[in-house]
Amino acid sequence: MIEIEQIDKLDIDIDRVQADLEDLSRIGRAEDRSIYRMAFTQADMEARQWLMQRLDHAGLQTEMDGAANVFGRFRDGTDKPVTLIGSHLDTVPAGGSLDGALGVVLGLECLRRIKEEGLQDHIYPVELVAFSDEEGRFGGGFFGSRALVGDLNPAVIHEAMDLHGVLLSDAMTNVGLDPMAALNARRAPGSYRAYLELHIEQGPVLDAEKTPIGLVEAITGIFRWQVRLLGQADHAGTTPMPMRHDALAGLAEFTGEIPRILEENGSESSVATIGNVQLFPGSVNTVPGQAEFSLDVRDADREILEQLGDTMRRALSAIGRRRGLMFEFDMLSNVDPVPCDTRVIDTIADSLDSSETAYRRMMSGAGHDAQKMATIAPVGMVFVPSKDGRSHTAAEWTHMEDIHTGGNILLRAALRLARLETSW
Ligand code: HGY
Ligand code: MN
Ligand code: MN
């Protein structure tokens, strides 16, 4: 039996966490200190090896499943419901050192501290997972958590491609993985008692308020399209403006319409981003015949997202008619907004209250593996502040003091969830 008082006294080893974060951040780091650990690159695989060595060094079992998700656990094989702590090691191109990595390193620290205190035989199992391709190099994101919840199929694995035309299946094969093995990564519903993720907020709220912890109540919904506007390549010098079917001009008109579309059809949580644009043929003295671009749209409400999608489709069709452009798009992902589980939220809140840690309840504008895990388990998330709200950039930073606070809340909430006396 583990008493709550005992749990609430536990403290992570913040110096060890800081050393691990610095060590991990060297993998895939560029001159400007930004991180390039995109899914299934050598750097991404090196980060998995790093984690498995750290787990092994701590005397823990490690496993890489068919989707290359890396697990850490006290022992293999259990019929007891597991409290899973997770996040991801992959980054966006030119990313920061904490997005995903912080949640994995603090999860590793939780397992080490449980082992050092000899608690593992007195609780339900606590495990760690580092999910594959959370960022969506290949399509919509959450590849590893989608594999775990059984949301993959052979077509998705065969067709997924990155922005440069590299197939997921080739990228996985190139690093020695069998892409189709991802279909075997599925875990039965009921395997997990709860899923917990600590993550940097990646926005400005906590830092501006000087609040050390965000208690996440819901995670935004996201749809991602790959859009093509097909016009006509023509000579830049001899084609009069009214005769042009300029694909970039069509994209520019659509980009200009986005604020009005969000204003008239969205909510205060609506955002839309065109993060990647490719023009064809892309020569200086040719009217762009084709514009291919990514569109990432988010809102906390499912219906509003649908409405935004319909409005954007109509806007692009109208622009196509006016400018003699064909419009087509591929839906890369369509992830529902999810509420976090009130029992997990309350458990985290209990840890916060008993340590008198200031916090605020909030929603997540970023997507997370937790929203996939929510389809098979109760989920909860803990945010720590991002300095100046910056993320997905080398400027991504969180003060060690906040990391220490967040790590202790993660450890104590995980143990409260894993107590044999916790019933649900
Ligand atoms: O895009 C996101 O919200 C996350 O960083 N994958
Ligand atoms: Mn992340
Ligand atoms: Mn991210």
Side-chain angles (χ1 to χ4, degrees):
M1 165 107 160
I2 296 184
E3 298 300 339
I4 294 286
E5 292 67 35
Q6 182 188 358
I7 289 176
D8 287 346
K9 286 197 193 89
L10 291 175
D11 191 15
I12 64 167
D13 179 337
I14 190 61
D15 297 335
R16 178 165 63 183
V17 165
Q18 184 168 7
D20 278 344
L21 287 171
E22 277 160 14
D23 212 21
L24 176 56
S25 71
R26 290 190 192 96
I27 302 175
R29 186 162 68 191
E31 291 278 297
D32 66 356
R33 302 187 68 78
S34 63
I35 311 285
Y36 288 78
R37 250 190 345 248
M38 291 76 79
F40 303 117
T41 56
Q42 286 305 334
D44 184 27
M45 298 313 288
E46 201 184 317
R48 283 183 176 80
Q49 290 309 320
W50 177 89
L51 176 60
M52 293 177 93
Q53 281 155 13
R54 280 289 185 284
L55 287 161
D56 189 46
H57 182 256
L60 293 155
Q61 304 290 329
T62 68
E63 176 214 353
M64 193 187 293
D65 72 6
N69 297 317
V70 173
F71 288 86
R73 53 175 69 101
F74 291 98
R75 67 181 66 78
D76 290 333
T78 176
D79 56 357
K80 301 275 186 307
V82 170
T83 296
L84 185 65
I85 300 173
S87 202
H88 60 96
L89 293 171
D90 67 298
T91 70
V92 293
S97 63
L98 296 175
D99 175 0
L102 181 60
V104 172
V105 168
L106 285 176
L108 164 67
E109 178 62 13
C110 287
L111 266 58
R112 286 187 297 218
R113 294 293 297 114
I114 290 170
K115 187 166 172 60
E116 286 162 353
E117 298 290 327
L119 303 177
Q120 65 273 26
D121 296 329
H122 307 286
I123 53 174
Y124 283 127
V126 175
E127 294 187 8
L128 168 67
V129 64
F131 284 118
S132 292
D133 194 13
E134 185 276 344
E135 293 292 2
R137 173 187 171 193
F138 297 97
F142 316 127
F143 177 77
S145 47
R146 288 183 65 187
L148 205 75
V149 306
D151 180 26
L152 287 184
N153 61 57
V156 167
I157 297 172
H158 268 310
E159 290 157 16
M161 180 187 300
D162 75 3
L163 290 172
H164 308 289
V166 175
L167 287 170
L168 166 68
S169 50
D170 288 344
M172 289 182 79
T173 308
N174 290 346
V175 290
L177 299 168
D178 165 12
M180 286 302 151
L183 297 170
N184 311 328
R186 179 187 188 137
R187 297 295 163 96
S191 302
Y192 298 110
R193 182 184 187 86
Y195 173 78
L196 264 185
E197 182 164 0
L198 180 140
H199 206 284
I200 51 173
E201 179 204 335
Q202 301 184 287
V205 173
L206 297 175
D207 186 49
E209 290 179 355
K210 296 284 169 271
T211 304
I213 295 288
L215 179 46
V216 178
E217 294 188 302
I219 305 170
T220 187
I222 309 174
F223 69 74
R224 275 190 201 158
W225 295 354
Q226 186 63 15
V227 185
R228 285 176 295 284
L229 285 175
L230 310 168
Q232 184 174 291
D234 272 317
H235 194 291
T238 56
T239 312
M241 296 307 279
M243 286 176 65
R244 293 182 179 204
H245 303 292
D246 182 335
L248 176 63
L251 168 54
E253 186 176 342
F254 175 65
T255 308
E257 287 202 20
I258 286 176
R260 177 190 58 76
I261 291 172
L262 295 185
E263 182 63 33
E264 292 173 1
N265 305 277
S267 72
E268 77 286 345
S269 77
S270 301
V271 287
T273 310
I274 295 175
N276 181 277
V277 176
Q278 298 176 56
L279 296 177
F280 303 94
S283 64
V284 171
N285 52 353
T286 308
V287 175
Q290 182 171 335
E292 196 157 335
F293 58 95
S294 64
L295 179 62
D296 174 306
V297 181
R298 306 184 187 208
D299 193 275
D301 181 287
R302 173 81 263 151
E303 278 72 53
I304 289 181
L305 266 181
E306 266 156 31
Q307 202 173 302
L308 289 171
D310 292 344
T311 311
M312 288 180 175
R313 249 195 302 274
R314 283 198 299 276
L316 282 160
S317 299
I319 289 167
R321 283 193 300 276
R322 281 198 296 276
R323 293 179 175 273
L325 305 172
M326 267 268 289
F327 148 58
E328 55 189 37
F329 75 99
D330 299 324
M331 172 74 82
L332 295 180
S333 70
N334 197 358
V335 183
D336 281 339
V338 291
C340 291
D341 185 282
T342 49
R343 296 164 299 179
V344 183
I345 291 173
D346 291 347
T347 305
I348 299 168
D350 291 345
S351 297
L352 288 159
D353 293 339
S354 60
S355 57
E356 293 174 1
T357 304
Y359 67 96
R360 65 117 73 204
R361 292 167 182 261
M362 62 195 295
M363 77 157 279
S364 172
H368 296 286
D369 289 304
Q371 63 201 110
K372 282 295 163 190
M373 287 302 291
T375 59
I376 63 166
V379 303
M381 288 195 77
V382 175
F383 276 174
V384 291
S386 292
K387 189 171 172 313
D388 305 327
R390 303 296 306 281
S391 180
H392 281 189
T393 150
E396 197 173 85
W397 181 253
T398 298
H399 296 298
M400 268 310 134
E401 181 193 350
D402 291 330
I403 290 175
H404 195 167
T405 305
N408 280 343
I409 295 300
L410 180 67
L411 173 60
R412 296 171 188 174
L415 281 167
R416 282 169 180 257
L417 290 166
R419 280 180 85 222
L420 304 179
E421 296 72 22
T422 302
S423 58
W424 69 50

